[in-house]
Amino acid sequence: MGKIRVILYGVGAIGSLIAKFLLEKKGIEIVGAVDIVRNKVGKDLGKVLGLKRKLGIRVSNDVDSVLSKVKADIAVHATSPFLKDACPQIASIVKHGVNVVSTCEELSYPYVSKPKLAKELDTLAKKRDVTVLGTGINPGFLMDTFVITLTAVCQKIEKIEVVRIMNAVTRRLPFQKKIGAGLTVEEFQWKIEKKQITGHVGLEHSIAMIADALAWKLDKIIAGPLEPIIAKKSVKSKDIKVKAGGVAGLRQKAKGVMKNREVIVLDFQAYIGAEEGYDAVTIEGVPNIKQRIQPCVHGDIGTVAMIVNAIPKVINAPAGLLTMKDLPVPSAALEDMRKYLKT
Ligand SMILES: NC(=O)c1ccc[n+]([C@@H]2O[C@H](COP(=O)([O-])OP(=O)(O)OC[C@H]3O[C@@H](n4cnc5c(N)ncnc54)[C@H](OP(=O)(O)O)[C@@H]3O)[C@@H](O)[C@H]2O)c1
């Protein structure tokens, strides 16, 4: 059997990390790369990834041209958290009969925010007999798929609470900036108003996915405001200093309400100086479940793993726009990637 052929669509921070991990793996090869950034287009992918060797693949800004020249089994899409941007890009891949696994946050459970776009993409994917999946660490796993899996041992559930606390020191500078670290409270509020800080995308999507798995008809999903986390003492990362009283990061909460009760509560906190980082799931029910992953799973490492491990599952899956709850139990693909393909 030939190797699994992958196209990269988006060679930014995450796309590059995925590419490097794919290069280490057996039974899979990168056959094309697409990105719009001027200083990447036309360059050898090896150079764009900062490797010392050429890979013989030129980064193109034209997905149609790439997919009409090379045959691919799947595209790894990593450009935008928003479906309004990602949908046309993904559709342009699907039209060539190529499966897609994407980091797009809204695609993880698109029916909650963009049902019409989701339906159109599902119809197109079925017509072209390919599968499309949005996944990642969060959304995609820690606050949804993992939680859904834990519910399997419960006979009754009253409430689910998930908390992710991350020390942003362990993350890239763009992430630290994205959460407002180092700003004053006034600057933070101004950037929110100007939509320069948009916060984490995906809490509502994770809630909707959990509710759907449990067949809970939520009355509403309430996304709380973006709140600054104020440093109590001065803290710093390699590049950012936060004075006491300044913004160290942010907190976002979202709630799923059913019959006037908060039945799903997600609490996301990312800030420089968090003393204890963890991912915690509490289920009030029969039995009660308290599950804590400590330290919290690193976002980039986890996202790269989720995307690459999903590749054979997406290729094996039936056609259409699927979500993590539609796929078999997630697992690592450690061996030659072809071993995980259904023959
Ligand atoms: N689900 C999860 O757990 C998870 C975790 C991490 C990241 N993500 C998501 O994954 C995506 C990638 O993250 P990142 O940190 O790598 O972002 P990034 O550094 O901004 O990289 C995205 C790359 O795609 C390019 N791009 C944008 N539009 C394009 C288009 N139409 N065609 C081709 N390339 C295009 C960007 O170019 P420009 O810079 O010119 O836009 C950039 O080079 C983001 O949406 C992020 O939110 C999800």
Side-chain angles (χ1 to χ4, degrees):
M1 192 195 291
K3 290 182 180 177
I4 299 172
R5 297 156 300 181
V6 182
I7 295 275
L8 304 170
Y9 193 122
V11 197
I14 289 291
S16 299
L17 290 172
I18 292 170
K20 286 180 190 164
F21 187 45
L22 284 173
L23 291 171
E24 288 173 19
K25 296 198 71 78
K26 287 203 182 108
I28 195 157
E29 61 182 331
I30 301 171
V31 293
V34 178
D35 202 294
I36 49 168
V37 173
R38 259 180 52 208
N39 65 5
K40 294 180 190 169
V41 177
K43 292 219 173 103
D44 186 89
L45 180 62
K47 188 156 191 203
V48 171
L49 297 178
L51 306 178
K52 289 197 179 98
R53 62 187 170 110
K54 285 193 172 173
L55 296 173
I57 297 161
R58 278 200 189 287
V59 176
S60 165
N61 57 3
D62 183 350
V63 68
D64 275 326
S65 143
V66 171
L67 286 175
S68 20
K69 283 184 208 132
V70 292
K71 286 231 168 296
D73 301 296
I74 190 160
V76 167
H77 173 266
T79 65
S80 166
F82 303 112
L83 270 178
K84 67 173 174 41
D85 306 318
C87 243
Q89 299 165 6
I90 292 170
S92 66
I93 304 166
V94 170
K95 279 181 189 152
H96 286 269
V98 175
N99 297 294
V100 180
V101 59
S102 171
T103 59
C104 173
E105 281 89 338
E106 285 195 327
L107 191 69
S108 65
Y109 203 79
Y111 307 99
V112 65
S113 54
K114 302 277 185 317
K116 192 168 165 281
L117 275 181
K119 184 83 201 92
E120 284 167 11
L121 199 52
D122 181 53
T123 306
L124 181 67
K126 285 183 177 141
K127 201 167 143 198
R128 300 293 165 139
D129 196 23
V130 298
T131 309
V132 176
L133 174 78
T135 192
I137 196 68
N138 180 34
F141 188 73
L142 288 169
M143 289 184 136
D144 38 56
T145 312
F146 178 54
V147 182
I148 293 168
T149 309
L150 286 174
T151 66
V153 298
C154 294
Q155 296 178 3
K156 290 181 184 162
I157 297 177
E158 295 295 322
K159 184 176 180 181
I160 297 172
E161 195 160 6
V162 189
V163 182
R164 175 159 170 78
I165 297 186
M166 180 199 306
N167 187 350
V169 159
T170 62
R171 303 295 302 270
R172 294 177 264 133
L173 179 60
F175 180 87
Q176 294 172 10
K177 288 194 170 159
K178 207 165 86 171
I179 59 168
L183 300 176
T184 64
V185 176
E186 293 71 29
E187 286 166 342
F188 183 86
Q189 299 300 359
W190 185 85
K191 286 201 176 219
I192 289 176
E193 270 165 41
K194 298 284 167 208
K195 299 206 180 337
Q196 289 177 12
I197 292 182
T198 50
H200 174 73
V201 180
L203 294 183
E204 295 102 307
H205 304 76
S206 293
I207 289 179
M209 199 201 298
I210 297 170
D212 194 13
L214 299 177
W216 278 359
K217 288 265 171 279
L218 297 179
D219 303 319
K220 56 187 167 184
I221 297 176
I222 303 169
L226 274 177
E227 295 167 33
I229 295 181
I230 312 293
K232 292 194 181 83
K233 55 180 186 188
S234 69
V235 286
K236 61 177 181 172
S237 66
K238 194 161 72 61
D239 305 287
I240 293 183
K241 271 192 186 152
V242 186
K243 289 187 192 141
V247 176
L250 58 75
R251 179 177 195 179
Q252 268 169 279
K253 281 180 104 171
K255 297 165 187 176
V257 179
M258 189 168 66
K259 294 182 188 146
N260 293 321
R261 277 196 318 115
E262 290 176 3
V263 287
I264 305 172
V265 177
L266 305 188
D267 181 353
F268 174 85
Q269 301 176 38
Y271 58 103
I272 292 179
E275 275 168 19
E276 231 192 353
Y278 57 82
D279 293 293
V281 182
T282 307
I283 302 178
E284 284 172 28
V286 179
N288 289 318
I289 303 283
K290 272 184 193 276
Q291 171 69 52
R292 186 184 269 232
I293 302 173
Q294 199 159 7
C296 67
V297 179
H298 190 281
D300 288 353
I301 296 174
T303 298
V304 171
M306 286 297 297
I307 292 288
V308 173
N309 291 333
I311 288 175
K313 292 190 199 290
V314 170
I315 295 175
N316 288 339
L321 170 56
L322 303 186
T323 70
M324 284 300 288
K325 79 169 187 46
D326 308 313
L327 286 183
V329 177
S331 52
L334 306 172
E335 305 296 325
D336 185 309
M337 293 292 268
R338 290 168 289 194
K339 287 194 180 170
Y340 303 96
L341 294 183
K342 285 185 196 156
T343 44

